[in-house]
């Protein structure tokens, strides 16, 4: 029994996901169909890809709030490149990814220069990116993407509801999991999140690794932005708005600690899907959009509360052990 | 003169240690009374008991004739006890006046009376002969000025007994004179100052009387005129060296690490050498520059001038990784903050400094990582049911061993231990000592920074003592004595 609870606690996001699926399938017979499940997965593909990138940042103990607008801005730019400038697809992809890598690294460089955390830098840059994406798009929706571009988000494989984007997500997920768990770069990410001072003294060049992390995260955001734009079929300054919220709350639900140094990719996937599923479920239940915001916010707070509670409990246990020793 | 504060038969026991034992002392009104004693003599415990921060197991504190058996911080404050610690207790973003009256109610229920606060703060400053605008933010002041505000704060709270814990440790030499002037002024206005310091010169300059503590016991109180520095040191070290140290006989080899005229943050000029297979003890007071030296050698702080030579080759480290490559590893002073990754497993921690060398194309060879973890945990006898145990769940001694294992696994041969046994229980201490001896016998060179006299004398083959950023002397094994180390630490 204790084992069972331990398992549940460690895989909280998966357990909650299963419970939600069960509840939804009781209320709606359309829920537990291959079609709907694939639909939910496809819808959330870009969020998962963005989350893979941000997981590097959060596991290293940092945070970024500008990702939504970063993706909006690059989405607008890549849509312009594809539709108005008619650039070839590989070039559009390369430029889009290069752009997010640059923007993400810029956040880290500013944080090094000013000596503040990336979160506060992103607080500023998110507004800058927001403004820029409205200026660049002239507040219009940019459509007319090339067919190849749209395939990134909509292309179906095997003539089924299984999209190219979903395949991409799976491949990237495996890659991220490999990098985080098997490479020394991955260990350094956890080292920074676990104890930056010890990391520095262990000979890890903290700033350099932080820049690498920003670069990797940027690349994932670029891919996520491409997938999103391709899926929607157009881009506007508001397209990716709120992605930061979904990603961060999904990651927190999935067991990434807000203090860094903890987290697993499979948990992240479950967390993101859970948030997506709740959105989907609330939609299907006909819940008012504004109430959905209230619910999502409450879930995020509850998750952070749970994370903090676990942390405090662990500390308390440790202190108790010290007392008795 | 009447005793304003007395401690009678105080005993305080922590698990495994008696911090104060049948401790009695008396302070008179309007005197400057210094307290001296080595690390672990029980000075901080005494302060905590007087200020009510911790309760005594038995005995009583008598303030102004009133005996208290259970003192708490509020009662202590009410009765005119104030304390200034090394870490100031102020809010940097508030003004001087607001800090002075922090926690006091001025004005009505809604608005504090700022006019009154500034007027009164100005008066206090005038009394003290200090020229600091009460409207300035505390954060803008120098450390020495902040200390004066702390004193003003104590005066504002009508304090009759002011405890000052190492007040000169955090301020520059030139500013100490000014602080002394103010302390004397406090005395003139009838305040009793309990002055705690390691610096023997200061004690002679400022005190009326001096008391010595040793091993949680009261030794003696003397008028300062009636003692000499040497006598005072003799009283402090009358302590018996109880702990036994594993013996070792190893001839030191050629120099592996030479430091010449090295200086970094602050006024340091340090020259010394470390030989192959020896344990070099580094003595001195906190702030003498020992930790800074260690961090410069480990590549964490860049020296501003001077030279470091490893095996005769001059080196300049940009960061710790280069020091590690050159074979220098640091086991830092603060194990939990800098030494280990508490939230990760032993298996994770041990190879962390050697990851690059056991990786191919960036992918870690986990068999090698595991082998490293196994090898070093066995060699260091880390006590754990499994290598998958989180380091946070280990005892202090075993955590320290993990910190050492990490450094050893990176194939370093010069190891700097900064306070290697701080906060570790007796049994684990012995194991760390044995380990250090073993390492030295295997031809590694060890530099050990220690503030514990027993450890310094018991473990070192040679001791270099630092005083205010300079080497004040070197002792060979046959010259070792507690007196000499203390004298050199105090610059006598």
């Amino acid at each position: 029994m204790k084992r069972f609870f331990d398992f549940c606690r460690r895989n909280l996001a998966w357990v909650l996901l299963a419970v939600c699926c069960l509840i939804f399938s009781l209320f709606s017979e359309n829920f537990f169909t291959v079609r709907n499940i694939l639909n939910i997965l496809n819808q959330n593909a870009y969020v998962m890809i963005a989350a893979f990138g941000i997981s590097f940042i959060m596991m290293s103990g940092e945070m970024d709030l500008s990702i939504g607008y970063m993706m909006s801005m690059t989405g607008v730019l890549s849509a312009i490149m594809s539709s108005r400038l008619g650039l070839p697809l590989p070039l559009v992809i390369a430029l889009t990814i290069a752009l997010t890598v640059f923007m993400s690294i810029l956040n880290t460089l500013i944080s090094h220069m000013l000596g503040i955390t990336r979160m506060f830098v992103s607080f500023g840059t998110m507004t800058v990116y927001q403004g820029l994406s409205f200026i660049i798009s002239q507040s219009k929706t940019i459509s007319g993407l090339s067919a190849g571009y749209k395939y990134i988000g909509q292309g179906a494989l095997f003539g089924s509801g299984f999209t190219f984007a979903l395949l991409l997500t799976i491949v990237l997920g495996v890659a991220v999991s490999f990098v985080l768990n098997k490479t020394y770069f991955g260990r350094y990410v956890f080292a920074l999140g676990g104890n930056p001072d010890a990391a520095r003294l262990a000979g890890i060049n903290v700033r350099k690794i932080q820049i690498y992390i920003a670069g990797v995260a940027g690349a994932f955001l670029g891919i996520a932005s491409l997938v999103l734009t391709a899926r929607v079929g157009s881009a506007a300054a508001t397209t990716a708005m709120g992605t930061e919220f979904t990603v961060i709350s999904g990651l927190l639900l999935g067991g990434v600690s807000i203090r860094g140094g903890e987290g697993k990719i499979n948990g992240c996937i479950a967390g993101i899907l859970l948030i997506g599923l709740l959105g989907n479920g609330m939609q299907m239940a006909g819940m008012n959009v504004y109430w959905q915001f209230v619910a999502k916010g409450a879930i995020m707070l509850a998750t952070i509360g749970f994370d903090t509670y676990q942390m405090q409990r662990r500390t308390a246990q440790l202190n108790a052990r010290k007392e008795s020793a | 003169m009447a005793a304003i504060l007395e401690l009678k038969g105080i005993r305080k026991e922590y698990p495994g240690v008696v911090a104060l034992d049948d401790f009695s002392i008396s302070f008179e009104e309007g005197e400057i009374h210094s307290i001296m004693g080595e690390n672990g003599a029980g000075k901080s415990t005494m302060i905590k008991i007087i200020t009510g921060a911790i309760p005594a197991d038995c005995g009583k504190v008598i303030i102004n004739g009133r005996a208290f058996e259970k003192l708490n911080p509020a009662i202590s404050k009410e009765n005119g006890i104030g304390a200034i610690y090394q870490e100031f207790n102020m809010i940097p973003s508030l003004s001087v006046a607001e800090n002075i009256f922090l926690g006091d109610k001025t004005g009505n229920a809604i608005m504090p009376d700022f006019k009154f606060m500034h007027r009164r703060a100005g008066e206090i400053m005038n009394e003290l002969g200090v020229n600091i605008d009460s409207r300035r933010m505390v954060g803008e002041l120098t450390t020495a000025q902040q200390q004066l505000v702390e004193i003003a704060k104590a005066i504002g709270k009508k304090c009759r007994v002011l405890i000052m814990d190492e007040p000169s440790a955090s301020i520059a030499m030139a500013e100490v004179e000014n602080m002394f002037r103010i302390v004397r002024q406090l005395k003139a206005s009838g305040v009793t100052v309990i002055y705690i310091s390691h610096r023997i010169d200061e004690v002679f300059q400022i005190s009326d009387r001096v008391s010595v503590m040793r091993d949680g016991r009261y030794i003696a109180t003397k008028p300062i005129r009636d003692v000499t520095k040497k006598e005072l040191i003799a009283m402090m070290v009358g302590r018996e060296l109880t702990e036994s140290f594993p013996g070792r006989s190893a001839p030191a080899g050629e120099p592996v690490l030479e430091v010449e005229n090295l200086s970094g943050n602050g006024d340091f000029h340090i020259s010394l050498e470390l030989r192959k297979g020896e344990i070099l003890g580094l003595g001195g007071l906190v702030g003498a520059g020992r930790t800074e030296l260690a961090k410069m050698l480990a590549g964490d702080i860049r020296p501003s001038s001077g030279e470091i030579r490893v095996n005769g080759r001059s080196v300049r480290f940009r960061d710790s990784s280069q020091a590690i490559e050159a074979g220098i590893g640091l086991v830092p002073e603060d194990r939990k903050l800098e030494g280990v990754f508490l939230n990760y497993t032993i298996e994770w921690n041990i190879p962390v400094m050697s990851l690059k060398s056991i990786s191919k194309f960036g992918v870690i060879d986990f068999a090698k990582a595991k082998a490293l973890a196994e090898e070093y945990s066995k060699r260091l006898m880390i006590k754990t049911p499994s290598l998958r145990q989180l380091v946070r769940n280990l005892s202090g001694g075993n955590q320290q061993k993990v910190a050492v294992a990490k450094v050893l696994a990176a194939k370093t041969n010069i190891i700097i231990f900064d306070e290697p046994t701080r906060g570790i229980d007796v049994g684990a201490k012995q194991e760390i000592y044995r380990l250090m001896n073993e390492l030295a016998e295997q031809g590694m060179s060890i530099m050990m920074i220690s503030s514990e006299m027993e450890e310094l004398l018991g473990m070192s083959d040679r001791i270099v003592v630092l005083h205010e950023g300079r080497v004040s002397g070197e002792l060979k094994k046959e010259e070792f004595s507690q007196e000499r180390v203390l004298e050199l630490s105090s610059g006598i």
Side-chain angles (χ1 to χ4, degrees), chain A residues 28-270:
Chain A
S28 159
E29 53 187 25
N30 290 331
F31 179 81
F32 216 77
T33 55
V34 175
R35 206 186 133 106
N36 190 44
I37 299 284
L38 276 176
N39 189 28
I40 292 171
L41 290 174
N42 287 330
Q43 257 174 7
N44 287 292
Y46 84 93
V47 187
M48 284 189 268
I49 295 173
F52 294 155
I54 303 314
S55 66
F56 281 89
I57 292 179
M58 282 180 65
M59 284 168 191
S60 74
E62 297 267 10
M63 181 65 98
D64 197 309
L65 302 172
S66 67
I67 50 182
Y69 289 109
M70 222 188 264
M71 283 167 62
S72 290
M73 185 172 144
T74 45
V76 166
L77 278 169
S78 72
I80 290 176
M81 286 187 254
S82 172
S83 66
R84 299 210 187 137
L85 305 179
L87 298 182
L89 186 61
L91 190 60
V92 174
I93 292 174
L95 284 175
T96 307
I97 292 175
L99 199 68
T100 44
V101 168
F102 170 77
M103 286 156 96
S104 174
I105 289 181
L106 189 68
N107 276 358
T108 295
L109 287 179
I110 295 175
S111 96
H112 288 170
M113 242 157 38
L114 300 183
I116 53 177
T117 60
R118 189 179 157 120
M119 178 164 110
F120 287 103
V121 174
S122 70
F123 217 58
T125 49
M126 77 184 249
T127 316
V128 172
Y129 297 151
Q130 182 184 17
L132 285 176
S133 46
F134 278 107
I135 292 168
I136 296 167
S137 66
Q138 295 170 315
S139 305
K140 290 189 183 102
T141 301
I142 293 147
S143 49
L145 303 176
S146 68
Y149 194 135
K150 282 187 191 159
Y151 185 84
I152 302 173
Q154 301 173 5
L157 299 174
F158 326 116
S160 69
F162 194 93
T163 57
F164 172 74
L166 203 51
L167 178 69
L168 191 63
T169 310
I170 293 167
V171 171
L172 290 176
V174 171
V176 169
S177 185
F178 179 82
V179 170
L180 279 176
N181 295 317
K182 305 280 178 195
T183 65
Y184 71 78
F185 173 69
R187 286 244 160 149
Y188 285 181
V189 172
F190 282 106
L192 294 197
N195 187 345
D197 287 314
R200 196 189 66 242
L201 283 174
I204 298 172
N205 188 332
V206 174
R207 291 191 159 197
K208 196 166 93 185
I209 298 296
Q210 280 175 338
I211 289 172
Y212 288 167
I213 290 171
V216 172
F220 279 95
L221 288 178
I223 300 171
S225 157
L226 286 166
V227 170
L228 172 64
T229 311
R231 183 179 163 75
V232 178
S234 65
T238 53
T239 309
M241 225 166 60
T243 311
E244 67 280 351
F245 179 87
T246 323
V247 166
I248 292 168
S249 43
L251 288 178
L252 289 175
L253 264 178
V256 176
S257 169
I258 203 159
R259 281 164 292 272
E262 262 173 66
K264 285 199 175 100
I265 282 301
N266 78 58
C268 296
I269 293 172

Side-chain angles (χ1 to χ4, degrees), chain B residues 60-72:
Chain B
K60 52 193 164 189
V61 179
I62 304 166
I63 309 173
N64 245 338
R66 278 179 66 192
F68 296 93
E69 268 175 40
K70 289 217 159 49
L71 208 55
N72 65 36

Side-chain angles (χ1 to χ4, degrees), chain A residues 178 181-184 187-188 190-191 193-195 197-205 261-262 318 321-322, chain B residues 295 300 319-321 324 330 332 336-338 340-341 344 347-348 352-353 355-356 359 362-364 366 392-393:
Chain A
F178 179 82
N181 295 317
K182 305 280 178 195
T183 65
Y184 71 78
R187 286 244 160 149
Y188 285 181
F190 282 106
N195 187 345
D197 287 314
R200 196 189 66 242
L201 283 174
I204 298 172
N205 188 332
E262 262 173 66
L318 194 71
R321 191 166 321 140
K322 257 186 220 149
Chain B
K295 292 214 160 169
D300 196 40
D319 56 36
S320 303
S321 68
I324 294 164
L330 170 67
K336 291 189 178 169
L337 276 181
E338 300 187 320
V340 292
F341 296 86
Y344 303 143
E347 203 176 32
W348 194 101
V352 73
M353 286 166 82
L355 285 178
K356 264 190 189 166
S359 297
V363 181
I364 300 169
F366 283 93
R392 80 160 49 245
N393 295 337

Side-chain angles (χ1 to χ4, degrees), chain B residues 97-146:
Chain B
E98 284 169 293
N99 267 292
I100 290 177
F101 292 100
L102 204 63
D104 291 350
K105 195 165 171 273
T106 62
N108 55 37
I110 301 164
M111 290 288 292
D113 186 347
F114 285 106
K115 244 191 205 155
F116 165 79
M117 275 164 51
H118 284 292
R119 200 188 63 232
R120 183 78 192 106
E123 282 170 16
I124 295 171
M125 293 292 181
N126 267 339
E127 265 169 52
L128 291 174
V130 179
N131 188 17
I132 300 174
D133 182 0
S134 65
R135 286 181 168 72
R136 283 185 68 186
M137 261 170 39
V138 162
E140 294 172 352
L141 304 177
T142 65
T143 319
Q145 285 174 321
Q146 290 186 6

Side-chain angles (χ1 to χ4, degrees), chain B residues 208-228:
Chain B
D208 299 315
R209 294 199 299 164
V210 55
S211 293
V212 175
M213 310 177 58
R214 187 205 309 151
D215 293 335
R217 288 170 178 277
Y218 168 82
I219 301 301
T221 302
K222 302 256 165 153
I224 201 79
R225 297 182 299 278
D226 299 352
V227 280
T228 63

